[in-house]
Amino acid sequence: MATSTTACEEVLVSNSTACEEVLSSDLKTISIDQKEIHPKSSEIKETCDCSNHMYKYTSFCINHDCPLCKQCIKKHTECCDIIPLEDAISNVKGSDGLQVIIQSLQELEENLKAIKSEKEKNILEIAEQRRNFAEDIIAIRRKIFDHLDVIEKQMLDELKEAESNESKRIKQLVQKIGQNVANVNDMYTTLVYMKKNASELQTFLEMKNAQTQLAQHEEFLQSFININLKKTYIECIIQPEFLNIKSLGSVTVLSKSSNVKIGRKQQKQAQVMMSPSLLSIRNIQQEFVIAFNITDMLSSISGVCVTVQDEYIITCQETSEIMLLQSDGSKKFLISLKSFGAFDVVLLSDTTVAITSGGKKKHGISIVDISLGKSIKFIKLPGQSYGITSNEEFLFVAVKGKGIQMLNKETLKTLEIIRCEITEGAFIDEYNGNIYITNSSENKVLCCDMNGVVKWVFKNEDILKEPYGIGVDGRGNVYVAGGRTLNVVVLSPDGAQHRQIITEKRLQMTLPRALSFDRTRKRLNFANEKRLLYIYKMEY
């Protein structure tokens, strides 16, 4: 046995050495170009941990569309659709969903590039428009100067002619007066001489002759007293109206439909894939925080917003007043805007709010300094101004029969109008580039983009009648106050689903009207037209 084992070992050693020689002769060093490695490879983590609790994800909540760790799952005890993470990620790389997202991202990139190219072209176009209009303005100025030269010459000629004619007439009168002076002086000299040297008869005859001529000269003098004694002067009235011209015209920024064609090949697939997140309205939960009774402070409530200091600005359309309500329910101040109206309100900055005029004759928005408790400015708009909202850059105002008037939030300069359907008493909100509008006369809620193109319309009179105040939360869910149905309804971001979350039976509501959503604090603020303002904490 020993001999056999030794022989085997020798064979194995021999074969091993031979293999090493073969392997060593065939091995080559391969250099890896680091540039071929994807730039994001360093960011891909081998483990995916919960950023809040630093535990590994173990489950997935379909209702909230999010992965959960063992700590997160404690907050989802009431969620009925929680599955193991392995089931959620099974074959994800080969799934249609991943392919849809990849194709959607490619499509999105193409669309964004097309829009970018269009906007860059638009910059060149408006620059060319500016140059053309500048040339037109200069041409108009030249025409005005030429016209002024013509009318200036006409007036100077008229002035010269008036002077010449009147001077000629006066010179003729002066000549006649000179002749009469000479005659009178001659008669005077003759009579004085004859009185001293002539006979009585000669003096008598000369006196009679002087009497006749004296009557003629007196008549000539009387004609001057009656007519020609008046002093002549030239009056030149210069029309100053042209000096009041403040502008040669006006500059307005308008918008029209773009020629960019946006691809939507994956839209239907994406909607199907994203359906779990849309189902999240079923899990929206509300928690009552507080209710304020404002019966003795304001006669009604038409609009409401929250300040940085967690105080409430409330508008009263009925009396054209606004009130600042402190968090303890006490009134800080009341401002009358009877000349301008007070329909809806939105926060502009830490110290200022904008108030719409509603149906008042003066159409526009009042800017109120809440730190001073007074109105500081009024901005005219082209029609009755109702709902108002804002984002970081712009102010949006619902103008009846016109559309959504945009203003620069910092300068408050009016920009273009988004042409869309705006009826009397319409409320609006903005979120993620969409405008949400209520139409109480037709019992519907609309969502449109920044070009005024309607994306969806919700109308269900069994659930929502006379929709008034509207607000959007941080996930795009839309909350609407139903004036006739006495409720608050939440709509999914695509308008396809709805749910009644607050009803008249629970709160004894009477015409809920004002509504706003505080995205910072996740709070829903809404009020009956009379008496009560409700505050709810929302979880979504």
Side-chain angles (χ1 to χ4, degrees), residues 300-330:
S300 64
I301 302 175
S302 57
V304 60
C305 77
V306 186
T307 69
V308 176
Q309 291 76 27
D310 199 15
E311 297 172 328
Y312 300 88
I313 301 292
I314 302 172
T315 56
C316 175
Q317 183 186 17
E318 184 179 342
T319 59
S320 297
E321 293 176 315
I322 66 168
M323 178 178 70
L324 179 60
L325 187 71
Q326 298 183 105
S327 56
D328 62 0
S330 62

Side-chain angles (χ1 to χ4, degrees), residues 164-205:
S164 176
N165 292 339
E166 196 59 25
S167 295
K168 182 178 179 181
R169 187 184 69 81
I170 294 173
K171 286 178 180 178
Q172 291 173 349
L173 289 175
V174 168
Q175 186 177 3
K176 288 182 181 179
I177 293 170
Q179 291 173 355
N180 278 268
V181 169
N183 292 337
V184 169
N185 182 266
D186 185 57
M187 285 188 297
Y188 171 78
T189 303
T190 300
L191 281 176
V192 170
Y193 176 79
M194 294 189 72
K195 180 179 178 182
K196 292 181 180 179
N197 302 309
S199 63
E200 291 291 337
L201 178 59
Q202 290 175 324
T203 302
F204 176 76
L205 293 174

Side-chain angles (χ1 to χ4, degrees), residues 4-217:
S4 177
T5 302
T6 304
C8 289
E9 289 177 352
E10 290 175 355
V11 172
L12 288 172
V13 171
S14 168
N15 291 339
S16 175
T17 305
C19 289
E20 288 178 1
E21 290 175 355
V22 171
L23 289 173
S24 298
S25 63
D26 290 342
L27 286 176
K28 295 180 180 179
T29 303
I30 301 174
S31 62
I32 299 175
D33 188 356
Q34 294 296 327
K35 294 181 180 179
E36 294 180 0
I37 299 176
H38 194 279
K40 293 289 184 181
S41 59
S42 60
E43 298 178 17
I44 299 175
K45 299 180 181 179
E46 293 184 2
T47 59
C48 299
D49 298 336
C50 174
S51 59
N52 294 325
H53 306 113
M54 305 310 292
Y55 290 112
K56 290 180 184 256
Y57 289 127
T58 58
S59 306
F60 186 84
C61 178
I62 294 177
N63 289 326
H64 290 92
D65 195 27
C66 64
L68 309 173
C69 72
K70 65 180 183 181
Q71 290 294 328
C72 296
I73 204 168
K74 295 177 181 178
K75 296 182 180 179
H76 292 253
T77 54
E78 297 183 7
C79 297
C80 56
D81 293 326
I82 294 179
I83 61 176
L85 186 62
E86 291 79 3
D87 294 347
I89 66 175
S90 176
N91 195 30
V92 67
K93 292 185 178 181
S95 66
D96 292 338
L98 180 60
Q99 187 61 28
V100 166
I101 291 178
I102 291 173
Q103 292 175 358
S104 297
L105 288 171
Q106 291 174 336
E107 188 178 80
L108 177 61
E109 182 182 12
E110 291 172 2
N111 290 335
L112 290 174
K113 285 180 177 179
I115 293 172
K116 179 174 177 287
S117 176
E118 178 74 8
K119 292 303 178 184
E120 290 172 346
K121 181 181 177 182
N122 196 191
I123 291 173
L124 298 176
E125 289 173 346
I126 61 175
E128 180 64 22
Q129 291 165 3
R130 191 264 307 163
R131 286 192 291 270
N132 292 338
F133 283 124
E135 291 175 0
D136 291 343
I137 292 169
I138 293 171
I140 287 293
R141 186 195 64 183
R142 288 171 180 165
K143 289 181 179 179
I144 291 172
F145 285 177
D146 292 343
H147 182 63
L148 287 175
D149 289 340
V150 171
I151 61 177
E152 177 191 31
K153 186 177 183 305
Q154 288 176 349
M155 286 200 70
L156 290 175
D157 290 344
E158 289 177 12
L159 190 62
K160 187 175 181 180
E161 184 180 3
E163 178 207 12
S164 176
N165 292 339
E166 196 59 25
S167 295
K168 182 178 179 181
R169 187 184 69 81
I170 294 173
K171 286 178 180 178
Q172 291 173 349
L173 289 175
V174 168
Q175 186 177 3
K176 288 182 181 179
I177 293 170
Q179 291 173 355
N180 278 268
V181 169
N183 292 337
V184 169
N185 182 266
D186 185 57
M187 285 188 297
Y188 171 78
T189 303
T190 300
L191 281 176
V192 170
Y193 176 79
M194 294 189 72
K195 180 179 178 182
K196 292 181 180 179
N197 302 309
S199 63
E200 291 291 337
L201 178 59
Q202 290 175 324
T203 302
F204 176 76
L205 293 174
E206 186 61 31
M207 182 185 70
K208 289 297 182 180
N209 181 48
Q211 275 183 327
T212 303
Q213 292 189 40
L214 180 60
Q216 294 176 353
H217 289 298

Side-chain angles (χ1 to χ4, degrees), residues 166 169-170 224-233:
E166 196 59 25
R169 187 184 69 81
I170 294 173
F224 266 92
I225 294 173
N226 295 335
I227 301 174
N228 295 318
L229 193 60
K230 294 179 180 179
K231 185 176 181 180
T232 301
Y233 66 94

Side-chain angles (χ1 to χ4, degrees), residues 3 45 53 86 176 190 241 322 371 383 411 499 529-530:
T3 306
K45 299 180 181 179
H53 306 113
E86 291 79 3
K176 288 182 181 179
T190 300
E241 283 78 8
I322 66 168
S371 65
T411 65
R499 180 183 158 209
E529 187 176 41
K530 306 288 184 182

